[in-house]
Amino acid sequence: MADDVLAAIRDLAPALRERAAEAESLRRVPDTSVKELEDTGFFQLLQPRAFGGRAADPVLFHTAVKEIAKACGSTGWVASVVGVHPWHVALFDPRAQHEVWGQDPKTRIASSYAPTGKATAEGGGFRLSGRWHFSSGCDHAQWALLGCLVTDGEGKPVDMRTFLIPRAAYRVDDVWDTVGLRATGSNDIVVEDVFVPDHRALSFGPVTALDVPGHELNPEPLYRLPYAGVFTTTISTPIVGIAEGAFDAYTEATRQRIRVSYGQKVAEDPFAQVRIARAASDIDASWLQLTRNMGAMYALAERGETIPMELRTRTRRDQVLATERCVAAIDLLMENSGGNAMRTGPGPVQRAWRDAHTGRGHAANDPERALVMYGQCALGIDIHDTMA
């Protein structure tokens, strides 16, 4: 049962919370935290059973991510991003999966999916070069998934693929120095003229169509879910966890806080109470919608049924709005936290505020694009978008 992983994560949460300031100082998740997460079995939750994984219900995975992010936003972000990559690798040709996990089933994978590099076809594979940004947790990974447009001899794009390459084939440039999510170590990955065999280059077309070579080896329903729903929920879930952590820290501090200007306990201020109620409702609504949609897709996959576009676009709609609501909820709390909350230092509400706003900037949290897709689908307009 994968529930034991969730119980272990909850036991580990206090230690992750205590290391949050240290993680910010390091600008990466401490090795100790990664090792402890590994020991819980967390990184194997979405890994196929063929390689010692759990192939677990994705709602359980996202629940574990939320608990981690509630303790430390950056650690939750890295755990979510690195933790979802086994799901993606499970879609690749079985030969690629054996290369990643054959010798060590605990191998971790980083990513950078924005197509900022250059790939051209070459006998039996592709020639890859470029610089990829924002690879969260890459210091803790031995492989990387890199998105890239494949061009023809005239430089025209002919395909969009994800390339899977080992650590020896790329370098990491330490460039991540930000106000929020400071400990994610989201550095650049640089590739210089590397050959990638065809079996380690997966086109987005089959992924979107839910018809990939990895199904030959991994029959579990987990791997019949749409890429966009899985990955974008993976980006919003840490922000929900960050918001829950901020809410808990705010209410705990507010019970003791005095607003000197009014000579009043903040806990007795009805306006503060209204903010608490609004923030709590928005955080709850966000989580309920995320888990409802992921649960509905997984249930269809378990029954071998088609996941309709209506559900796929609804998942994207609710995912971007979950991020939006949780950022707004933290803003409500931060605005009522007083001047002391703005002091430099390890304040948990301030850190959550910085982390959530930084995470909001991720491309997966672009609300207009996702909402347009949902609106078009609701109106019966045919859509063909890999982000659904």
Side-chain angles (χ1 to χ4, degrees):
M1 294 290 290
D3 288 343
D4 60 332
V5 176
L6 185 56
I9 290 293
R10 286 173 172 150
D11 288 342
L12 178 59
L16 300 178
R17 187 175 296 109
E18 287 179 7
R19 289 190 206 112
E22 175 194 355
E24 282 208 318
S25 178
L26 292 172
R27 292 186 296 111
R28 54 177 278 173
V29 176
D31 293 342
T32 300
S33 296
V34 174
K35 180 61 168 64
E36 289 174 344
L37 286 170
E38 180 181 274
D39 290 344
T40 69
F42 169 80
F43 292 114
Q44 278 70 53
L45 282 176
L46 300 188
Q47 191 164 312
R49 295 189 182 101
F51 295 98
R54 309 265 188 144
D57 183 330
V59 173
L60 187 144
F61 169 77
H62 289 115
T63 302
V65 167
K66 181 170 70 73
E67 293 298 312
I68 298 167
K70 187 176 176 180
C72 174
S74 287
T75 303
W77 184 277
V78 169
S80 195
V81 171
V82 174
V84 80
H85 292 149
W87 180 89
H88 195 187
V89 172
L91 309 184
F92 275 71
D93 186 298
R95 290 173 291 175
Q97 297 180 52
H98 279 286
E99 288 180 88
V100 173
W101 292 310
Q103 296 297 316
D104 182 3
K106 292 187 177 180
T107 296
R108 291 184 294 272
I109 308 106
S111 74
S112 180
Y113 289 104
T116 56
K118 178 181 178 182
T120 54
E122 187 175 301
F126 302 86
R127 185 63 58 177
L128 186 68
S129 293
R131 177 182 289 270
W132 284 261
H133 309 294
F134 312 127
S135 184
S136 300
C138 58
D139 288 324
H140 303 290
Q142 295 80 46
W143 287 75
L145 292 157
L146 304 176
C148 196
L149 291 171
V150 178
T151 58
D152 61 17
E154 298 178 355
K156 296 179 181 178
V158 294
D159 194 9
M160 172 70 175
R161 290 183 177 244
T162 301
F163 294 86
L164 179 60
I165 65 173
R167 183 67 181 82
Y170 63 86
R171 77 171 191 269
V172 173
D173 274 2
D174 183 356
V175 298
W176 186 250
D177 190 1
T178 57
V179 296
L181 294 176
R182 280 185 59 80
T184 61
S186 301
N187 292 307
D188 287 1
I189 288 179
V190 181
V191 178
E192 297 175 348
D193 193 32
V194 169
F195 178 77
V196 184
D198 187 66
H199 67 271
R200 285 201 266 114
L202 181 61
S203 175
F204 264 88
V207 172
T208 304
L210 306 182
D211 184 15
V212 293
H215 288 166
E216 172 190 340
L217 184 63
N218 305 315
E220 297 96 336
L222 176 65
Y223 308 111
R224 268 66 178 177
L225 297 175
Y227 171 94
V230 172
F231 268 76
T232 57
T233 302
T234 294
I235 294 301
S236 286
T237 295
I239 296 176
V240 178
I242 290 167
E244 284 195 4
F247 181 87
D248 288 352
Y250 172 85
T251 52
E252 181 179 351
T254 298
R255 292 186 186 101
Q256 309 301 325
R257 185 172 153 236
I258 303 294
R259 182 173 281 126
V260 178
S261 301
Y262 301 114
Q264 177 190 40
K265 286 186 175 181
V266 178
E268 297 172 354
D269 181 357
F271 301 110
Q273 294 162 1
V274 168
R275 284 176 180 264
I276 287 170
R278 288 187 179 278
S281 179
D282 281 342
I283 296 166
D284 285 350
S286 299
W287 184 237
L288 287 170
Q289 286 189 308
L290 289 182
T291 54
R292 176 194 67 163
N293 294 333
M294 191 57 62
M297 289 198 296
Y298 188 60
L300 288 170
E302 286 186 305
R303 296 195 298 268
E305 298 179 20
T306 299
I307 298 173
M309 188 57 70
E310 291 83 358
L311 178 54
R312 292 167 75 154
T313 56
R314 189 184 82 188
T315 298
R316 286 285 283 125
R317 177 199 73 184
D318 294 341
Q319 169 261 317
V320 295
L321 291 180
T323 293
E324 191 173 272
R325 287 193 189 99
C326 285
V327 171
I330 297 172
D331 284 346
L332 273 176
L333 303 178
M334 187 64 180
E335 289 164 4
N336 201 46
S337 291
N340 284 329
M342 298 305 296
R343 296 183 188 277
T344 57
V349 179
Q350 183 207 92
R351 182 184 298 115
W353 181 62
R354 291 186 280 110
D355 288 347
H357 277 275
T358 302
R360 165 63 183 83
H362 192 284
N365 288 322
D366 178 355
E368 289 78 16
R369 187 174 303 279
L371 297 180
V372 163
M373 282 194 297
Y374 176 80
Q376 289 176 337
C377 185
L379 292 169
I381 299 172
D382 188 31
I383 63 172
H384 298 284
D385 194 312
T386 58
M387 289 308 290

